[in-house]
Structures are given as C-alpha cells and as structure tokens.
Amino acid sequence: MHSDIVFMFSGQGSQYYKMGLELFDKHPVFRQSMERLDRIVHDLTGTSVIEELYLSTKPKGASFENIVYSHPAIFMVQYALAETLEAEGITPRYTLGVSLGEYVALAVAKVLTPEQALELIVKQVELLHKTCRTGAMIAVLDNEQFYHRNAELNTRSELIAVNFERHFTIACRSGHISEIQQFIREQGVASLKLPVNYAFHSAFIAELEKPYRTYMQKIEFKTPAPGVTLVSAKAGGSVQTVDESFLWNVVRRPMNFRGALVSLTSGGQRLLLDLSPSGTLENFSKYILGKPLAQQVRSVITPMGSELKKLNEIVAEIK
C-alpha cells in the first residue's frame, strides 16, 4: 500500500484519435464521466467531442490537431480516468499537471469545477483563433545545449521545456517549421512536430493574454481540497493559491515538469500514476528519476491498448 499517490496529467501533444476507447467501451464509470463532460462541452459549443474522438472514421494513428476538439478531449479523458480511479477508492495526495494538464490537476484538486475548467478551455480555443497566428511545438531528441549553440534554432524558436537530459521542446511560428526541422535533420538529430497548431508557452501567443486574462477574472478559484497538494509544472513545485495570473502563465511560460517531479519525489516514496492518454509522463518520469524510483511509475492509457488490464492491475496493487 502506498500512502502518497500522485495523479499526473499531460497537455497538448499527448492526444490521438480513439484514446481511452477501451475504457469508454468497457468501464461504466469512465463512460459516464466522458458523457457528462461531453454534455458540458456541447452546451458551450454545440459540438460533441465523443463523436469526433470515438465515432469518426479517423484511425488511431491519424493526427488529432484540431484544438476545437483536442483541447477539451485531453481534459475529458484524463478527468474521466481520475474519476474512475477515485470510484475504485484510489485518491491522490498530489495532483501534478503539465500545460493543459494543469487544468485537469486543478479540477481534480477542486480548485476549479470541471464545468469551469472546460469553460476556460473552450474560451481559450475561441480566443486563440481570434487573436493568434498559428505555430508549432517541436520535440527535439538532444541535449538542450543543441538549442543554445545553434542560431538556426534559438533565433527562430523558443525553448519551452527541457523534459529530460536528451529531450527538449521548442515553439515557433508556422513559417519556420520546415526550415527548423530540416536544419535539425541535417545535424543528425531526430525531431517530432507535436499535433498542435499553436506555439503555446512562448511569446508567439502573446496576443491571447489580454482577452484571456480578462475573461478569467470572472472565475472563482478555490484552494485545493483538504489533503491534496497541487504541484505545477509551470511553477516547478507546489502551489498554494491559484488566480488568473497563475493560469495565464501556465499557458504562456515554459514548462518545468522535471523540477516539479524532482521536488515532489524528494519528499519521500510516491506512487506516480500517469493519467495522460499516451504514457508520455511515465516515460519522462523514468528518464528523470532513474532507478529505483522509476519502478514507482505507472500508466493506464497508451496507444498500445490493454487499458482495462492495466487499470485493474493498479487497483489490485494499491488495494
């Protein structure tokens, strides 16, 4: 039995068509949660995320880039999984969010209601379309010094995350994507454009700040629920209070998942449950922590499937 359980939530880049489908088909709590959240989104937008995510003809490997659907879908799948675990009696001592995953962490920690979180997510999409030019986020498989020593990168993009020793993420304008990726290839380094068409966590979305912060001022942020500590990848550690300034910085500033994870695990043994759709945070955590702490990381949903089996194994282990 682990006394300190961490729920971890990821952001844009972790999504794909059919994510969580096995749980949606076979686990009643997950399905009911997804359907309830979908009704909230439908009331806000007139569209159904479930129809796009699960009922469209798009195969699992198809790029899921349209943030009208992917933004709320990332929240919905992770929040539904959190509710599924909680229905099994597994509750978090800590919630750790990365980027859009911070909205999920806030909702699970009761700082926001799921209705408030989805309202803010939908509004962010609407305002992005109105105010910002498109862009990209690109994962680069090399040491961050590769970014700093090459003007072809550091004058055309911004470093928005150092995920572990040989994995960082940059953001850029759409017009620079091909030349940046070509330069990276010419250096013999691998890169991957994430399935999102805005340059989050960079100055390239600065036009969003005024209208989004103005809108967020009407939201009532509560303190985390008793017994739950909120840990933020934006802050690189725990946070006590949340306001519109904090949440804007979650969208605009670089991510520091590594710092948040190290600060969290330095306080004692934790069981880290990656509730993201892709197992990304499980992989990052294992690289960051190394042995033996890497053995304390689990995920449920991955593109490889076996979601119900993995969920049942985690429930059996904890209980």
Side-chain angles (χ1 to χ4, degrees):
M1 178 70 182
H2 299 267
S3 58
D4 288 341
I5 294 172
V6 183
F7 283 6
M8 302 190 297
F9 307 101
S10 68
Q12 278 286 352
S14 62
Q15 78 277 12
Y16 50 92
Y17 278 99
K18 308 298 191 287
M19 57 185 180
L21 178 59
E22 183 181 339
L23 292 178
F24 184 77
D25 284 342
K26 297 180 179 179
H27 200 291
V29 174
F30 186 88
R31 186 185 189 98
Q32 290 163 12
S33 181
M34 286 291 290
E35 290 174 340
R36 178 170 59 87
L37 297 170
D38 196 53
R39 287 192 293 271
I40 296 170
V41 175
H42 187 272
D43 288 345
L44 292 167
T45 67
T47 61
S48 169
V49 172
I50 286 176
E51 286 185 8
E52 177 69 15
L53 181 61
Y54 296 140
L55 304 182
S56 75
T57 58
K58 301 284 181 62
K60 181 182 288 188
S63 183
F64 190 14
E65 292 189 350
N66 187 344
I67 63 171
V68 170
Y69 296 104
S70 68
H71 241 40
I74 290 166
F75 176 92
M76 290 166 57
V77 167
Q78 295 183 102
Y79 189 83
L81 181 53
E83 288 202 315
T84 301
L85 287 166
E86 290 177 339
E88 297 282 0
I90 300 171
T91 57
R93 174 69 180 83
Y94 301 89
T95 63
L96 169 54
V98 182
S99 190
L100 187 61
E102 299 228 25
Y103 289 75
V104 196
L106 291 172
V108 173
K110 312 299 185 188
V111 175
L112 294 172
T113 65
E115 290 82 1
Q116 288 173 319
L118 282 169
E119 178 186 347
L120 288 174
I121 288 168
V122 167
K123 178 56 68 169
Q124 184 188 121
V125 171
E126 175 189 326
L127 293 174
L128 274 166
H129 285 156
K130 288 181 178 178
T131 64
C132 296
R133 294 163 58 190
T134 57
M137 297 162 63
I138 301 171
V140 183
L141 276 63
D142 204 342
N143 189 283
E144 66 177 294
Q145 292 307 314
F146 177 69
Y147 172 85
H148 293 300
R149 67 174 180 260
N150 285 292
E152 290 85 349
L153 294 183
N154 59 49
T155 62
R156 295 173 174 172
S157 67
E158 291 186 23
L159 180 66
I160 61 171
V162 178
N163 302 307
F164 51 89
E165 185 179 359
R166 296 186 64 81
H167 193 294
F168 64 87
T169 307
I170 59 175
C172 67
R173 295 281 196 198
S174 291
H176 288 150
I177 297 171
S178 59
E179 56 195 37
I180 285 175
Q181 288 201 284
Q182 180 179 348
F183 170 77
I184 294 172
R185 281 194 302 271
E186 290 172 351
Q187 309 311 304
V189 174
S191 71
L192 176 67
K193 179 187 176 298
L194 303 182
V196 57
N197 290 324
Y198 286 93
F200 291 105
H201 309 291
S202 75
F204 304 126
I205 60 162
E207 295 86 355
L208 176 65
E209 178 175 8
K210 185 176 180 180
Y212 196 45
R213 290 186 66 159
T214 299
Y215 187 86
M216 286 192 291
Q217 288 172 1
K218 75 171 194 172
I219 300 294
E220 179 185 359
F221 297 91
K222 298 187 179 340
T223 56
V228 180
T229 298
L230 185 67
V231 183
S232 164
K234 190 282 294 183
S238 62
V239 294
Q240 304 300 319
T241 59
V242 174
D243 56 16
E244 51 86 16
S245 179
F246 169 85
L247 206 50
W248 165 246
N249 285 328
V250 164
V251 181
R252 165 66 181 84
R253 298 300 175 189
M255 300 167 282
N256 186 10
F257 174 69
R258 180 170 59 178
L261 185 68
V262 170
S263 72
L264 181 59
T265 54
S266 64
Q269 187 176 18
R270 315 275 189 249
L271 180 63
L272 305 167
L273 301 183
D274 176 5
L275 276 62
S276 76
S278 60
T280 300
L281 298 183
E282 178 187 23
N283 293 331
F284 286 0
S285 298
K286 288 181 175 180
Y287 276 109
I288 293 166
L289 298 174
K291 296 180 180 179
L293 291 178
Q295 299 174 4
Q296 303 303 313
V297 190
R298 310 280 188 277
S299 65
V300 178
I301 302 175
T302 72
M304 304 302 294
S306 300
E307 299 163 3
L308 194 59
K309 178 176 181 289
K310 294 178 75 174
L311 173 66
N312 290 335
E313 287 173 350
I314 289 170
V315 171
E317 175 185 353
I318 294 175
K319 289 187 172 182

